[in-house]
Amino acid sequence: MNSPVQIKKWVIGICTTAITFIMFATVLYVFMPDAAAVEEQQAAGSLAHWGYYMAAAISTGIATIGAGIAVSQVGAAAIAAISEKPELFGRVLIILGLAEGIAIYGLIISFAIIAAV
């Protein structure tokens, strides 16, 4: 069952993620009109493919957050398992790598999205 400390960690994590998203959105809102004006002068069009880039960023971001959560859970269990049986190090390392692979999948999807532009 979830303890109040775990719930507090999740709330802090979600709030931090939301604040970071709001900060980046604000920066984009402030600087995007300048970038769009430069783009219009150069190519007579605004940012035509901004949706592709946003999708690539979101896929990488969400995959990385998921990988962080997975690695935190698997890493804690791995340390506990290795402390009891040191011969499990190789198996635990493979499982930890599989959890980290989630972020790499998101990055591959981002590359595929950007390549479609």
Side-chain angles (χ1 to χ4, degrees):
M1 194 143 167
N2 287 338
S3 68
V5 174
Q6 284 182 328
I7 294 172
K8 187 176 180 181
K9 285 182 183 179
W10 276 95
V11 170
I12 290 172
I14 290 171
C15 290
T16 304
T17 304
I19 289 170
T20 305
F21 179 76
I22 290 169
M23 286 176 22
F24 282 129
T26 304
V27 168
L28 284 176
Y29 180 75
V30 169
F31 293 112
M32 195 62 88
D34 296 335
V38 171
E39 187 74 24
E40 285 179 14
Q41 292 172 358
Q42 291 176 355
S46 63
L47 298 172
H49 301 294
W50 70 271
Y52 290 108
Y53 298 121
M54 188 61 77
I58 289 172
S59 69
T60 301
I62 291 176
T64 305
I65 290 170
I69 292 170
V71 168
S72 71
Q73 299 294 321
V74 172
I79 295 298
I82 291 172
S83 68
E84 297 215 4
K85 285 185 163 183
E87 62 269 9
L88 291 177
F89 180 74
R91 293 180 186 166
V92 165
L93 195 61
I94 291 171
I95 294 170
L96 193 62
L98 290 172
E100 184 60 35
I102 298 169
I104 296 171
Y105 296 144
L107 191 62
I108 290 170
I109 295 298
S110 293
F111 287 149
I113 290 170
I114 291 174
V117 174

